[in-house]
Amino acid sequence: MNADASLSAAASPSPIRESIRVALLGLGTVGRGVFRMLEENSASIRAKAGLPVELVRIGVRDLGRVRGIEFPHLTDDARSIVQDPDIDVVIELIGGIDQALDLVERALEAGKSVVTANKELIAKHGGRLLRMAFERGIDLHFEAAVGGGIPLVQPLKHQLAGNDVVRLMGILNGTTNYILTQIAERGVSFEEALSHAQAFGFAEADPTNDVEAYDAAYKIAILGSIAFGGPIPVEQVYREGIQGVQPDDVHFADVLGYAIKLVAICEPGAGGRSVSARVHPLLVPKEHPLAGVRNEYNALWFQGDFVGDVMFSGRGAGAEATASAVVGDLIDVARNLKIKGPGSVIPWGDPIEVEPIGLARSSYYLRLLVDDRPKVLGEIALALGEHGVSLSAMEMRVFDSANHVGEIVFLTHEVEERLFQRALADLEQLMVVKKVCNWLRVVEK
Ligand code: HSE
């Protein structure tokens, strides 16, 4: 600090803040969790923040639907909250885009720091919102948007930032992980497992987002944007859900020593500043750290050039786990406001290009119904080999002995996806192949 600056700072000391005043937007599952945590842990939150953190207003959509919360300052006028000069921090837990984007923008414009759990908002508009916060010297934190209670955003932004990222691999959706675990371990149907997930409160009201992997795509876009230092356009993330995984695939994967997981991956692409960013079902060897992540648990397996392999895991959804991340962010903002700091937002750089899925390299699992006759295996191996697809394992069972139909499962060595697709197209033309039942990507052992 130069002499003039130190003199002027000494001449006009800023008033000491007595508390941080917080407003909550949304009182759904996570909102209630945050409300309860702020009440039940208020003493330790105050001690860690260094000053009281007071919840002063809550915005809800429908005042008539608020049950079981004793709070005098509820309103259905959310805009009045983001314009209220007495509020320092807005916690956005509405979800979706329309209303949430409008309110977050207004809050930032009004100079309020924002904490949000909204993955869609950050995946689609994070780059712009972070810049808004950065230019105003305020905070925008979103730890709860990815992995529920597991700290992922902050470690990627800070402790792991010195690494060149080799690969991110995550189980980032609790609902689908729960469904796949229940099918594998208890033999229940997809529908039964989904309705349990909804009853436990970690499946979204509309399961499409989870099952068709939109949720995991938002999350890997966010983590990849932080890890690779530029916004990854979420609409370019390759996305396949678990709706095509059949109980027979789960069975064969198990026999071959694999678990099927919905895995989100982000890794450097072949060219320049591009990445491969994708979410799809994946056969993971049972000895891989991600294979043991069960039920609604989430995990991120981070590989960095210096740190090596780091695994994070924990509850990726639910009121309490998500509240833990929201309140952690809030304490961070409060500490910063206490010292009148400039905010710790790091704007993302230029957008990063996502490579087409055809360039990704993987091993494959392939399940076919075939003629159960001599020379059939040779014909199939030849068709695959023409495109450089090499086999590494095989399992077979008689499917229909009267009609000489066998069910056969192959695993391949690693190959570029576009070559595998060409081989698949040729296989479909073979007379001996009755049906291509399914194919999935595999992490080679
Ligand atoms: N529905 C999500 C999941 C939780 O199942 O993981 C919120 O991100």
Side-chain angles (χ1 to χ4, degrees):
M1 196 183 281
N2 66 32
D4 286 353
S6 84
L7 269 180
S8 71
S12 56
S14 331
I16 304 284
R17 264 178 187 278
E18 288 178 357
S19 67
I20 300 298
R21 295 165 65 81
V22 180
L24 193 57
L25 298 177
L27 201 49
T29 309
V30 178
R32 284 164 192 269
V34 170
F35 180 86
R36 202 155 62 74
M37 193 175 196
L38 289 175
E39 265 201 348
E40 290 178 18
N41 293 0
S42 70
S44 63
I45 291 168
R46 175 189 182 139
K48 287 171 193 164
L51 76 181
V53 176
E54 289 177 55
L55 184 60
V56 293
R57 294 185 72 186
I58 302 179
V60 294
R61 191 177 330 191
D62 179 358
L63 288 167
R65 284 190 56 208
V66 177
R67 307 257 185 281
I69 295 274
E70 295 291 323
F71 189 76
H73 307 295
L74 284 166
T75 176
D76 57 5
D77 181 4
R79 281 207 178 159
S80 74
I81 289 187
V82 294
Q83 281 152 7
D84 182 342
D86 277 349
I87 286 169
D88 304 302
V89 188
V90 171
I91 301 178
E92 184 276 306
L93 301 175
I94 299 168
I97 294 289
D98 300 341
Q99 204 196 358
L101 177 61
D102 174 65
L103 292 169
V104 166
E105 280 178 339
R106 285 172 188 269
L108 295 173
E109 272 161 13
K112 300 176 196 319
S113 288
V114 172
V115 173
T116 177
N118 191 330
K119 63 222 148 196
E120 187 178 356
L121 182 77
I122 298 300
K124 290 183 176 167
H125 302 281
R128 190 164 56 77
L129 295 173
L130 283 168
R131 185 147 291 283
M132 279 180 76
F134 176 70
E135 283 164 1
R136 289 162 178 78
I138 50 182
D139 273 320
L140 169 60
H141 287 323
F142 47 88
E143 184 63 68
V146 189
I150 316 167
L152 298 177
V153 170
Q154 292 292 344
L156 285 183
K157 261 164 67 174
H158 299 290
Q159 293 80 7
L160 296 168
N163 289 271
D164 276 351
V165 180
V166 176
R167 189 178 236 203
L168 303 178
M169 266 177 96
I171 294 176
L172 301 177
N173 182 265
T175 303
T176 46
N177 201 47
Y178 179 85
I179 292 172
L180 292 172
T181 307
Q182 293 291 309
I183 293 173
E185 294 183 5
R186 296 185 47 233
V188 301
S189 68
F190 179 96
E191 289 72 23
E192 204 180 333
L194 173 61
S195 70
H196 285 168
Q198 284 168 326
F200 292 141
F202 46 81
E204 308 273 322
D206 177 358
T208 316
N209 258 336
D210 296 315
V211 170
E212 295 185 13
Y214 289 96
D215 179 80
Y218 294 142
K219 292 169 176 171
I220 196 66
I222 295 172
L223 295 181
S225 300
I226 301 167
F228 291 92
I232 292 181
V234 69
E235 61 287 351
Q236 288 180 25
V237 173
Y238 178 81
R239 182 183 53 74
E240 241 175 64
I242 63 164
Q243 60 278 35
V245 177
Q246 293 155 23
D248 279 348
D249 301 317
V250 176
H251 161 77
F252 276 114
D254 183 58
V255 169
L256 290 161
Y258 293 83
I260 302 183
K261 299 288 185 187
L262 182 71
V263 177
I265 298 172
C266 192
E267 61 189 347
R273 231 181 136 247
S274 67
V275 294
S276 174
R278 53 196 201 265
V279 188
H280 48 66
L282 185 68
L283 271 71
V284 180
K286 285 182 184 168
E287 40 300 337
H288 191 285
L290 289 177
V293 178
R294 297 174 58 249
N295 289 326
E296 74 273 29
Y297 274 64
N298 282 196
L300 180 73
W301 193 50
F302 175 95
Q303 294 180 284
D305 62 345
F306 272 66
V307 74
D309 300 346
V310 181
M311 172 91 166
F312 301 84
S313 78
R315 284 195 315 190
E320 292 172 350
T322 312
S324 161
V326 169
V327 173
D329 276 351
L330 178 61
I331 292 174
D332 212 18
V333 175
R335 286 175 177 151
N336 196 39
L337 286 173
K338 183 182 177 210
I339 60 164
K340 303 200 178 300
S344 59
V345 161
I346 306 156
W348 293 337
D350 295 331
I352 294 182
E353 197 183 316
V354 179
E355 267 187 7
I357 186 72
L359 295 183
R361 287 185 69 80
S362 183
S363 303
Y364 294 88
Y365 155 103
L366 177 60
R367 180 160 63 87
L368 308 172
L369 290 185
V370 298
D371 272 344
D372 189 2
R373 296 180 195 283
K375 295 192 179 173
V376 167
L377 271 185
E379 249 188 86
I380 293 171
L382 196 64
L384 292 168
E386 289 292 329
H387 297 279
V389 179
S390 164
L391 298 173
S392 68
M394 195 198 98
E395 238 349 275
M396 182 170 172
R397 66 183 177 193
V398 174
F399 184 79
D400 174 355
S401 57
N403 292 305
H404 301 281
V405 178
E407 187 172 36
I408 196 162
V409 168
F410 295 107
L411 295 183
T412 76
H413 286 298
E414 208 175 88
V415 64
E416 236 179 52
E417 176 135 343
R418 57 184 169 176
L419 297 179
F420 178 76
Q421 294 293 353
R422 282 179 207 154
L424 203 56
D426 281 3
L427 270 192
E428 279 167 347
Q429 303 306 315
L430 290 184
M431 294 294 286
V432 296
V433 174
K434 302 283 166 217
K435 184 177 173 194
V436 175
C437 303
N438 210 354
W439 63 271
L440 296 162
R441 301 169 184 89
V442 179
V443 177
E444 198 161 13
K445 284 188 191 179

